[in-house]
């Protein structure tokens, strides 16, 4: 924001959504719930009619929104389609501002510049939300709740356009986050596009596997490969639009897997150094995963957890906390796990690492089964 | 089963569980619920006491189970520990039969043979169940419900031992599946051990990533990497015990990732052939994932889904089914998806691929918004 005098535009009350797939229809549902007037269009008229039937808005008349340009037009389509759709929409004067929701940002911006689009009224955007199901039938008004929504204004982008899109993101329950398009593309390559390729490479190993082997599959395999079941055509487009960033990250993963294979072959021969190398590779993986923020966006916890078995007698919890308090222990977090049908549960007490030994001793002295 | 005359032994009513981690304690909880007497031991006495406190059984007396050998002793510990524990348990005469639950099977069997264990009374086993949390506090009586439980008898294994272990698996709600130990190890390398390494290799890329990049992480990255957050020490043991099988599968994945990197680099240069190669790699991934059986163990569905928007007027569903029936359509499966707070929902009708066009036309003619 370069101007401090202009009042921030309110949440866009008149919205056009072009592209009524999962994301477009979800934006329409969320905005409509807040009272916005929403007009829907899609290159497949049946899809727009379907979304309208769901209550996501009205079909966009050929003459444009009744009463003149909308506050904002959302272009909800794959990256390659954004710039031509923007040029057409600006030509028709559909709205005062425009945004897109495609999962890469440099390519649509570059193409829009090539096509001579007005970049003062266009803000490239990307809500980081999705489902493994696609299409309007999978849309949900709460799809964006608590998710980041990347907003990548250019130097020439108007403040009004930027804050209109930020207001839409906030109204949808998302957190608008401003960033450079180049940073966005590098970052989503790491946290979204590369995981997709890794899942696909794992999935490809199942193509010729014996059915008896697949019958042993558990939640782990399903989780690792789930996203590879997504729409292959859409993903080819997404990856192609971010090809250079994605290509740069893959060799390191391939090298780690090759190093794991070498270490395992060494272990099979009884080599102790290979065992250490494998452990080191696994620990780096665990350390990386631990850096993914929790769903609430906070940093990963650094507490030690002490577990104590508690019965369901009245006052049991109070007695545990009293014993902890008398030992001078500051308890940071509490969680109760209860197996169905059992008279006892497990109380998990999170404490600073230096307090864990004292708490364990205090509770053991009080007669509770306890472990760290 | 080589003898048709011996009656199958009943579910073991007197059970010893050695190793009260997640799996051992869950077996104890499940058997105890069915009325079995359960005695618990662990190399860490506090862990056994903790499990006993949870209601999983009584601590095993030093003299062994009161009243003589148990029907079955379950050795619930990592692969390397099984054979020594089996030798010690057989030396003490703890039970009439023995099994383990370790996630590889060739190594414990080979070690048990080297140690001179009685292989007539030992059945190598592996319930394919787990959680990302470990230890007795995470145990659940229903952990094995609907899961496969691999049972790998040797030619010298007695029928009594094999059917006792199968009876325990069934009693825990699992499906006992007989297989050769070598097949088991090859298959779990593919569906369990390799996914772990792939998740770790992806996770390692996050170790030095910018926090701003990680803030964009969604469910996809979390799912792909979740299992890499598991107990690194335990996983080193599991992988080391199945090193040769795991090592043999990794190079193909590393090669696919390298091929993806080459294709992406080609796409960045505008090469059309590279785009086709990337699509092909993604499609192989999707085809492999589609082969993973559903949670109910059935084959993947081969139906076409037709989606239709329905209002919540009384009789709306009946009218849809009447229209389908009049068009002569056989509906195989039905699902309703309803976004919170909306007056309309989506009815998903699964039909044979050849019936989809007719159903779509019939419903469109009836005025419903419909799409395939």
């Amino acid at each position: 924001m370069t101007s401090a005098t202009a009042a921030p535009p309110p949440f866009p009350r008149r919205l056009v959504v072009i592209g009524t797939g999962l994301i477009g229809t979800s934006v329409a549902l969320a905005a409509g719930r807040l009272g916005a007037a929403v007009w829907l269009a899609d290159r497949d008229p049946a899809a727009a009619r379907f979304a309208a039937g769901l209550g996501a808005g009205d079909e966009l008349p050929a003459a444009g929104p009744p009463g003149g340009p909308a506050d904002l037009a959302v272009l909800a389509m794959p990256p390659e389609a954004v710039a031509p759709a923007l040029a057409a929409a600006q030509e028709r004067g559909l709205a005062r501002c425009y945004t897109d929701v495609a999962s890469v940002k440099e390519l649509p911006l570059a193409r829009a510049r090539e096509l001579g689009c007005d970049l003062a009224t266009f803000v490239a955007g990307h809500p980081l939300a999705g489902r493994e199901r696609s299409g309007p039938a999978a849309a949900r008004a709460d799809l964006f709740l608590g998710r980041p929504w990347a907003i990548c204004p250019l130097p020439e982008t108007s403040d009004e356009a930027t804050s209109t899109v930020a207001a839409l993101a906030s109204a949808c329950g998302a957190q608008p986050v401003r960033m450079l398009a180049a940073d966005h593309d590098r970052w989503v390559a790491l946290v979204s596009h590369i995981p997709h390729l890794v899942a696909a490479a794992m999935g490809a190993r199942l193509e010729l596997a014996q059915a008896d082997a697949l019958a042993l599959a558990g939640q782990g395999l399903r989780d690792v490969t789930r996203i590879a079941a997504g729409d292959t055509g859409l993903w080819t487009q997404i990856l192609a639009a971010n090809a250079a960033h994605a290509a740069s990250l893959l060799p390191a993963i391939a090298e780690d897997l090759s190093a794991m294979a070498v270490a395992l072959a060494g272990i099979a021969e009884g080599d102790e150094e290979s065992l250490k190398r494998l452990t080191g590779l696994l620990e780096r993986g665990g350390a990386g995963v631990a850096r993914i923020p929790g769903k609430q966006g906070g940093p990963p916890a650094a507490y030690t957890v002490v577990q104590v078995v508690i019965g369901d007698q009245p006052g049991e919890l109070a007695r545990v906390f009293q014993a902890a308090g008398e030992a001078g222990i500051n308890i940071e977090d509490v969680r109760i796990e209860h197996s169905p049908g059992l008279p006892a549960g497990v109380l998990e007490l999170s404490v600073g690492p230096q307090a864990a030994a004292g708490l364990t001793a205090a509770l053991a002295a009080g007669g509770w089964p306890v472990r760290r």
Side-chain angles (χ1 to χ4, degrees), chain A:
Chain A
M1 320 284 164
T2 51
S3 159
T5 52
F11 155 68
R13 317 283 316 168
R14 291 162 41 82
L15 197 68
V16 168
V17 173
I18 304 182
T20 52
L22 170 66
I23 302 292
T25 306
S26 294
V27 169
L29 288 171
R33 260 194 177 183
L34 294 170
V38 182
W39 292 278
L40 307 165
D42 196 284
R43 57 174 189 177
D44 172 11
R49 201 168 312 129
F50 190 92
L54 269 177
D58 294 323
E59 291 179 70
L60 179 68
D71 296 327
L72 179 65
V74 179
L75 310 174
M77 52 195 63
E80 290 281 356
V82 169
L86 175 62
Q90 289 186 333
E91 175 74 26
R92 291 174 66 189
L94 275 187
R96 289 187 296 113
C97 311
Y98 301 86
T99 189
D100 75 323
V101 298
S103 51
V104 300
K105 300 275 61 92
E106 288 182 290
L107 178 121
L109 282 168
R111 293 281 157 81
R113 196 183 293 280
E114 286 164 20
L115 291 180
C117 295
D118 175 11
L119 295 178
T121 59
F122 176 64
V123 190
H126 179 207
L128 277 291
R131 301 185 65 185
E132 60 272 41
R133 309 184 62 218
S134 59
R140 305 176 54 108
D142 61 358
L143 188 70
F144 309 102
L145 224 56
R147 301 293 307 145
W149 188 312
I151 293 177
C152 307
L154 298 171
E156 60 262 56
T157 309
S158 76
D159 288 351
E160 185 201 356
T162 302
S163 50
T164 298
V165 176
L168 175 70
S170 297
C172 288
Q175 298 176 321
V177 190
R178 283 179 70 149
M179 60 188 68
L180 297 174
D183 284 340
H184 171 276
D185 286 4
R186 206 157 36 85
W187 295 343
V188 295
L190 177 66
V191 302
S192 170
H193 303 167
I194 293 301
H196 199 94
L197 293 168
V198 166
M202 180 66 232
R205 297 274 68 69
L206 309 176
E207 203 184 0
L208 304 174
Q210 280 179 262
D212 287 340
L214 295 172
L216 300 182
Q219 198 53 43
L221 179 67
R222 289 187 172 85
D223 283 354
V224 169
T225 58
R226 181 183 61 79
I227 53 176
D231 181 335
T232 308
L234 175 62
W235 271 95
T236 300
Q237 285 191 56
I238 291 172
L239 291 160
N242 203 20
H245 289 305
S248 72
L249 292 164
L250 283 175
I253 300 181
E255 281 160 27
D256 270 4
L257 290 172
S258 298
M260 288 171 178
V262 171
L264 286 163
I267 291 169
E269 309 270 309
D271 175 41
E272 281 297 321
E273 280 307 308
S274 295
L275 197 63
K276 283 187 204 154
R277 273 204 302 280
L278 180 67
T279 303
L281 288 160
L282 292 177
E283 282 175 353
R284 285 180 49 218
V289 176
R291 292 193 65 222
I292 303 175
K295 294 219 174 183
Q296 304 310 318
Y303 298 127
T304 299
V305 174
V306 173
Q307 300 175 321
V308 50
V309 177
I310 49 164
D312 62 357
Q313 303 91 322
E316 181 86 346
L317 277 177
R319 283 192 289 278
V320 167
F321 286 108
Q322 192 182 348
E326 283 167 5
I329 308 290
N330 192 19
I331 292 175
E332 307 289 351
D333 199 5
V334 174
R335 211 170 144 270
I336 295 182
E337 174 122 353
H338 205 293
S339 272
L342 290 178
V346 174
L347 180 68
E348 297 192 341
L349 302 169
S350 298
V351 295
Q354 73 294 343
L359 178 61
T360 305
L363 294 176
W368 283 285
V370 61
R371 65 197 297 272
R372 288 155 72 172

